[in-house]
Amino acid sequence: MAGSEPPEMESDWTDIAAKAQTKLRNSIPAEYRIPHDKLPPEDQLDVTGFPAKCGLMSEVELKITESYATEIVGAVAAGEWTAVEVTNAFCKRAAIAHQVTNCLTVVMFDDALKQAKKLDEHFSSTGKTIGPLHGLPVSLKDNFNVPGYPSSVGFCAWALEPVKKESTIVGTLRDLGAVAYCKTNVPTAMMIAESVNNCYGRTVNPLNRNLTSGGSSGGESALITMKGSPLGIGTDIGGSLRIPAACTGIFTIRPSFGRFPHFDASTGMAGQEAVASVHGPMARSVADLRLFAENVSNSAPWLKDPKCIPMPYRSVELKQKLKFAVLWDNGMVHPTPPVARALKEVAAKLAAAGHQVIDWPADDHAEAMDLMGKLFVADGGQSIKKILEASGEPLRPEMQAYGQVKDLGVYELWQLQKQRTALAKRYLDRWAACEGLDAILSPTTPYAAPKSGDFKTVSYTGVYNILDSTATSFPTGVLVDREKDVYASDFKAYGEVDEVTKKDYEPAAVHGMPVSLQLIGRRLEEEKMLAITERVVEDLAS
């Protein structure tokens, strides 16, 4: 169904949503379900400690699920843990995570355990793993196709329709030894910066359930933060990897188009190629991101995906002292006080570590975001509206723009693409003129994590989708402080969105939340950006 025509519906969207939710609820094994009176009360905001306290998980299962992906594959390869043992532990923890954050859409536990059993049988008979990810459970964003299961992409029309064809990355991960065991929630059409839709509802941030886990890969970010997944696969067309990673304080990389196989994932905007969608890993360490990137790149995905670039993983050696350019704000929306403080503190620590730190003006950023807005609705919103109409589903309020635009026509679309490429050339030249520049340091979003419903702008991430830059998001170690992180009395907003961002910001509501930032490289610099992010994290810790 990767961008297929919407099916004809016999039921309306409310019936489908009710059936999909019931199916999901019933797919969680009875022994993993927690009685309502045993769940955390609604006013308990941080639920990350709940899996260890709920009584369902053994000490061994807690140890397994609190391990990093790199540690898990090492332990399974050494025979310390079996694939079944590891898979069962993550199935259980994912079920717990879902019951307190609403992060899942599809449960595949039975099939995952069958696959894990086959992996153990292979290891037992040969003494060898089948690949470098042998026995590693991986969670998938909802739009990755697994035959026999739906890929709703947040649409009611698709929520009960099992797909027949498998996404290339799903097969690639299985061939490497990974075990897919669940799929995670997304917003409608994956085009909202929070994970909320009319079918499965809203995913919340496990660090503070009043806040959003971001979008569109927010089911992944919530699950990983709950340690219900050691490695998740999300997508990014305007910030959909980096935003949810930032909202929950985990790591991700947005690769350039063509680096990982992505042509056959489901989408509500099939054929929209002016701003390329990509997929990438989300995890709790840079090493775990590299585990995915290196092994997927070295699996020759270009032999299966016609748009993949033939580029095996490359070794990189960084200069001892790097050159960073800091984007302090983008001239459209100021970063909220905790993000501004984190940016200053990180820049200061990098300078103290001997790196060169300069300023980076926001030239062309406003134009890039204007282009992105027009390109996303160049079809007059028809692609999304047709899918919604199949079940009578209404447009969500966050997506009203898709119902208010006209089809641009081919000529106007071509002019926008011409403008986009000219902008990318100017940005490339500006980078080249800044001799020796290694990376741009920028806010990932203006927020630490806004309250659910308050995410207003993707302007810090979206620019780099227009440019197709490689970018990472990483936790800085800075936590929001309600006393320190307040707006200056002489603050002047750039415009309406900036003013609303200030109005919505409540220091007490986000006190203690982690603050993330973004590192941006040039196109196809995945290896370098992972290495730079790792270096930055080390320097911040020293």
Side-chain angles (χ1 to χ4, degrees), residues 331-352:
M332 291 173 276
V333 180
H334 291 85
T336 57
V339 179
R341 177 168 64 88
L343 199 54
K344 289 177 184 176
E345 291 183 9
V346 170
K349 286 182 179 180
L350 292 177

Side-chain angles (χ1 to χ4, degrees), residues 26 41 157 164 194 276-277 300 311 324 340 367 375 377 381 406 439 453 526:
N26 292 342
K164 296 178 181 178
E194 304 184 30
S277 178
M311 186 182 289
F324 296 94
E367 181 182 338
L375 290 167
V377 294
K406 295 181 180 179
E526 288 74 26

Side-chain angles (χ1 to χ4, degrees), residues 22-338:
T22 299
K23 183 179 179 182
L24 173 59
R25 193 161 47 245
N26 292 342
S27 67
I28 295 175
E31 61 270 26
Y32 295 173
R33 297 179 206 165
I34 301 166
H36 185 74
D37 62 348
K38 301 295 184 184
L39 290 170
E42 289 187 12
D43 61 357
Q44 182 180 327
L45 302 182
D46 186 343
V47 291
T48 53
F50 182 66
K53 297 175 182 176
C54 69
L56 288 184
M57 303 196 72
S58 69
E59 288 300 317
V60 172
E61 288 169 336
L62 288 171
K63 182 179 179 182
I64 289 170
T65 53
E66 288 167 10
S67 300
Y68 292 98
T70 47
E71 296 171 335
I72 292 167
V73 294
V76 173
E80 295 172 19
W81 295 331
T82 66
V84 166
E85 192 176 18
V86 171
T87 301
N88 191 62
F90 276 102
C91 288
K92 187 180 289 189
R93 192 153 182 156
I96 296 167
H98 174 68
Q99 292 172 79
V100 293
T101 65
N102 193 40
C103 58
L104 304 183
T105 56
V106 173
V107 165
M108 307 182 291
F109 297 168
D110 288 345
D111 284 348
L113 288 166
K114 288 176 186 175
Q115 184 191 345
K117 185 179 179 182
K118 290 180 182 178
L119 292 173
D120 285 338
E121 290 169 351
H122 175 89
F123 186 78
S124 179
S125 62
T126 67
K128 297 178 181 178
T129 61
I130 71 160
L133 303 185
H134 183 105
L136 179 69
V138 294
S139 51
L140 304 172
K141 188 174 180 175
D142 182 87
N143 67 312
F144 292 106
N145 298 324
V146 179
Y149 297 97
S151 294
S152 72
V153 195
F155 293 111
C156 292
W158 290 352
L160 299 176
E161 300 292 321
V163 301
K164 296 178 181 178
K165 293 185 178 180
E166 182 177 75
S167 292
T168 299
I169 187 60
V170 175
T172 298
L173 289 169
R174 185 179 58 251
D175 291 345
L176 291 168
V179 180
Y181 64 108
C182 64
K183 300 213 295 178
T184 56
N185 201 26
V186 298
T188 306
M190 304 184 296
M191 294 305 290
I192 307 171
E194 304 184 30
S195 292
V196 58
N197 59 68
N198 293 327
C199 188
Y200 295 102
R202 181 182 293 278
T203 301
V204 294
N205 193 321
L207 296 169
N208 182 330
R209 292 193 291 175
N210 283 340
L211 309 178
T212 182
S213 61
S216 60
S217 309
E220 283 299 325
S221 66
L223 181 63
I224 294 165
T225 303
M226 288 292 294
K227 299 179 181 173
S229 171
L231 181 70
I233 318 304
T235 66
D236 196 310
I237 196 172
S240 291
L241 283 162
R242 291 159 289 161
I243 287 167
C247 286
T248 55
I250 61 173
F251 293 88
T252 194
I253 181 167
R254 183 249 177 233
S256 293
F257 180 71
R259 198 64 205 272
F260 303 141
H262 190 60
F263 79 105
D264 52 3
S266 288
T267 170
M269 296 166 63
Q272 189 291 117
E273 299 185 4
V275 184
S277 178
V278 297
H279 80 249
M282 304 172 76
R284 293 185 291 115
S285 75
V286 176
D288 288 353
L289 301 182
R290 186 181 291 113
L291 180 71
F292 172 93
E294 181 173 359
N295 287 298
V296 170
S297 297
N298 286 340
S299 71
W302 50 88
L303 299 179
K304 298 177 180 178
D305 183 335
K307 296 195 172 186
C308 246
I309 297 168
M311 186 182 289
Y313 202 79
R314 303 159 292 182
S315 60
V316 291
E317 286 192 23
L318 297 179
K319 300 176 294 188
Q320 187 174 359
K321 303 301 179 185
L322 301 170
K323 184 174 182 178
F324 296 94
V326 181
L327 179 72
W328 296 104
D329 79 57
N330 63 11
M332 291 173 276
V333 180
H334 291 85
T336 57

Side-chain angles (χ1 to χ4, degrees), residues 398-413:
E398 302 94 336
M399 300 181 67
Q400 289 308 306
Y402 291 84
Q404 301 168 349
V405 289
K406 295 181 180 179
D407 189 327
L408 286 182
V410 175
Y411 177 78
E412 289 298 330
L413 174 61

Side-chain angles (χ1 to χ4, degrees), residues 340-517:
R341 177 168 64 88
L343 199 54
K344 289 177 184 176
E345 291 183 9
V346 170
K349 286 182 179 180
L350 292 177
H355 302 297
Q356 186 178 359
V357 178
I358 62 171
D359 296 337
W360 187 256
D363 297 359
D364 293 318
H365 282 227
E367 181 182 338
M369 291 311 300
D370 180 64
L371 276 170
M372 171 175 277
K374 291 175 180 176
L375 290 167
F376 280 166
V377 294
D379 70 337
Q382 291 182 75
S383 299
I384 289 172
K385 285 187 287 188
K386 284 183 178 180
I387 302 167
L388 292 171
E389 288 166 1
S391 67
E393 180 181 351
L395 263 174
R396 285 195 59 85
E398 302 94 336
M399 300 181 67
Q400 289 308 306
Y402 291 84
Q404 301 168 349
V405 289
K406 295 181 180 179
D407 189 327
L408 286 182
V410 175
Y411 177 78
E412 289 298 330
L413 174 61
W414 287 2
Q415 300 315 299
L416 291 175
Q417 291 177 161
K418 176 183 174 183
Q419 185 183 351
R420 175 208 60 198
T421 303
L423 186 152
K425 169 60 174 168
R426 294 196 302 273
Y427 216 95
L428 184 68
D429 289 348
R430 185 152 68 101
W431 190 298
C434 189
E435 187 176 350
L437 179 61
D438 292 295
I440 296 169
L441 176 68
S442 157
T444 308
T445 85
Y447 324 99
K451 286 177 285 186
S452 291
D454 281 357
F455 210 110
K456 297 294 193 298
T457 177
V458 299
S459 55
Y460 282 97
T461 49
V463 170
Y464 299 107
N465 294 85
I466 286 285
L467 298 171
D468 194 28
S469 306
T470 304
T472 63
S473 184
F474 67 98
T476 62
V478 174
L479 303 179
V480 180
D481 185 318
R482 72 180 81 186
E483 303 297 331
K484 293 180 181 177
D485 296 324
V486 295
Y487 276 89
S489 58
D490 60 350
F491 173 82
K492 292 182 180 179
Y494 288 123
E496 182 182 355
V497 175
D498 202 11
E499 189 62 54
V500 171
T501 299
K502 177 182 182 295
K503 181 182 176 183
D504 288 344
Y505 174 71
E506 296 178 21
V510 289
H511 179 75
M513 289 296 292
V515 182
S516 289
L517 296 175

